[in-house]
Amino acid sequence: MNIAAQDLPRDEVAPPASAGWIETLGKACGRFFTGPGFVGFMLAATMLYEAFLAAVLLVPDAAGAFGAFATEFKIWCFSYDPRTGGMAWAAVWIMMLEPVFIAALVALLWRRAVRRLCSRAGLGEHWRAVCAGLVAAALAIGGMFVVGDAEASEGPPPPFPGERIRTALEAPEFSFGDQHGAAFGLGDARGRVVLMTGIYAYCATSCPEILRELQALQETLPREVRDRLTVVALSLSPEYDSEIMRQRIAEGYGQEYPHFRYLNGEPDAMHDVLTRLGFARVRDYRTGVITHTNLFIVVDAQGRIAYRLSLDERLRPWLREAVTALAGEAAAEG
């Protein structure tokens, strides 16, 4: 006669083969989540993540691959606008404070574990959990970088946001001499679209690319748009950019006068305007090389800063569309 397992005495029913390791795993997880190990993991991951966010916020846009990734990250997470340098600071603070709040909550609920972790013995016992938190945060950050870099290099250019990113900032007043000695300021271009950038004559890296970009842009614009556009290059090296050097640079890159103005003036006044316009730059006085942002500022027919665009391959179509849209507005206004 067969006897069902449930009819046997409790101590005669054989436990499943997997019961041993499941019980061991459950106990290990319980010890981890109720002891100092979990606290160490959370605090280590939080500290590394906060350091990552700080690096993203502080790194210049032109700082290589990480700078490009940081720019994309800020655009999508913080509504960062490379054209104005502004971003949604409320979103920044929320993202910065969220992990701190979680870590503080963990520390409050696991007060005993925190005290043990802070003691010498506790830290020694749970260094593996701290390292695991650092590794987990590093892997998450690395994954975001890899995915973001892949999207930036392989994905199609995002559509021009138009009015969503447009500003109406007052541009600083100035009047500097161009490459032919004529005074020029934004007030002289009212009713026209002005595209401003910053270069210097002895630059051998990004400035030639900026000038080629300007040349390519003008070649692709319709005639009616070109006729309403003035391109202005502000000297990033006012102490050394002579008039003859500026003439040679303009002519060498096929920039026609007076549609292209390469301006320079008294160094203190130039540096003040550059700073107010947001042209970040650092000179290495040993080599004379200036590390600077590759920035395009588009000013509308009313003399207001409408767009600020960086020299980013994926965003290059935006520059053409911004200039075209503003030229259409200028034509409509007469």
Side-chain angles (χ1 to χ4, degrees):
M1 180 177 63
N2 293 329
I3 301 177
Q6 59 268 27
D7 296 329
L8 292 173
R10 186 175 299 274
D11 57 358
E12 292 184 21
V13 177
S18 59
W21 69 265
I22 292 178
E23 183 178 358
T24 301
L25 179 62
K27 290 181 179 178
C29 291
R31 287 194 301 270
F32 174 75
F33 286 106
T34 58
F38 177 64
V39 176
F41 177 90
M42 289 294 297
L43 294 179
T46 299
M47 287 188 294
L48 185 58
Y49 185 67
E50 290 292 306
F52 162 74
L53 289 179
V56 165
L57 291 171
L58 297 176
V59 67
D61 293 350
F66 184 72
F69 164 76
T71 300
E72 288 289 322
F73 186 95
K74 290 183 289 188
I75 287 173
W76 297 115
C77 295
F78 303 141
S79 299
Y80 173 63
D81 186 356
R83 298 140 294 278
T84 64
M87 64 181 81
W89 286 103
V92 174
W93 286 113
I94 289 173
M95 186 169 284
M96 292 286 288
L97 292 176
E98 275 180 346
V100 175
F101 173 76
I102 294 173
L105 186 61
V106 169
L108 177 65
L109 297 177
W110 279 263
R111 292 188 297 275
R112 293 184 180 179
V114 171
R115 286 195 291 269
R116 287 180 56 193
L117 184 65
C118 292
S119 67
R120 183 176 301 177
L123 184 61
E125 291 173 3
H126 299 284
W127 65 269
R128 291 185 180 86
V130 174
C131 291
L134 293 174
V135 170
L139 290 175
I141 292 168
M144 286 191 292
F145 180 81
V146 170
V147 172
D149 186 61
E151 290 180 349
S153 59
E154 298 176 5
F160 179 54
E163 291 297 318
R164 289 197 296 112
I165 63 170
R166 184 169 177 174
T167 63
L169 303 176
E170 291 297 326
E173 294 291 337
F174 62 80
S175 181
F176 299 125
D178 64 25
Q179 67 269 33
H180 291 284
F184 179 84
L186 290 179
D188 300 316
R190 286 295 171 91
R192 299 175 60 82
V193 179
V194 178
L195 174 57
M196 288 193 294
T197 190
I199 60 173
Y200 67 104
Y202 291 100
C203 179
T205 52
S206 58
C207 295
E209 187 176 357
I210 289 174
L211 289 163
R212 285 192 292 268
E213 180 69 19
L214 291 173
Q215 188 177 20
L217 171 68
Q218 294 174 83
E219 289 174 352
T220 61
L221 288 174
R223 181 60 181 268
E224 62 272 16
V225 175
R226 290 201 308 271
D227 289 343
R228 293 187 176 274
L229 175 67
T230 296
V231 179
V232 173
L234 299 173
S235 172
L236 300 176
S237 183
E239 298 86 353
Y240 302 103
D241 275 1
S242 66
E243 189 174 300
I244 188 64
M245 284 300 302
R246 287 180 282 130
Q247 285 183 27
R248 291 175 178 174
I249 291 295
E251 292 169 0
Y253 284 91
Q255 298 293 338
E256 297 180 0
Y257 186 82
H259 295 291
F260 177 83
R261 308 264 190 161
Y262 190 172
L263 304 184
N264 198 6
E266 196 276 328
D268 287 344
M270 282 295 301
H271 285 302
D272 178 65
V273 169
L274 290 169
T275 299
R276 291 168 66 188
L277 286 171
F279 286 95
R281 64 218 179 273
V282 177
R283 181 190 294 275
D284 185 337
Y285 285 95
R286 296 172 302 173
T287 63
V289 173
I290 300 174
T291 302
H292 59 91
T293 54
N294 301 326
L295 180 63
F296 296 105
I297 299 176
V298 190
V299 180
D300 65 20
Q302 303 302 317
R304 297 166 300 203
I305 296 175
Y307 299 103
R308 290 168 61 95
L309 301 169
S310 62
L311 186 62
D312 185 313
E313 185 174 354
R314 297 183 69 223
L315 303 184
R316 281 177 176 172
W318 291 15
L319 185 60
R320 186 180 188 278
E321 294 189 49
V323 169
T324 302
L326 294 180
E329 290 182 9
E333 293 171 1

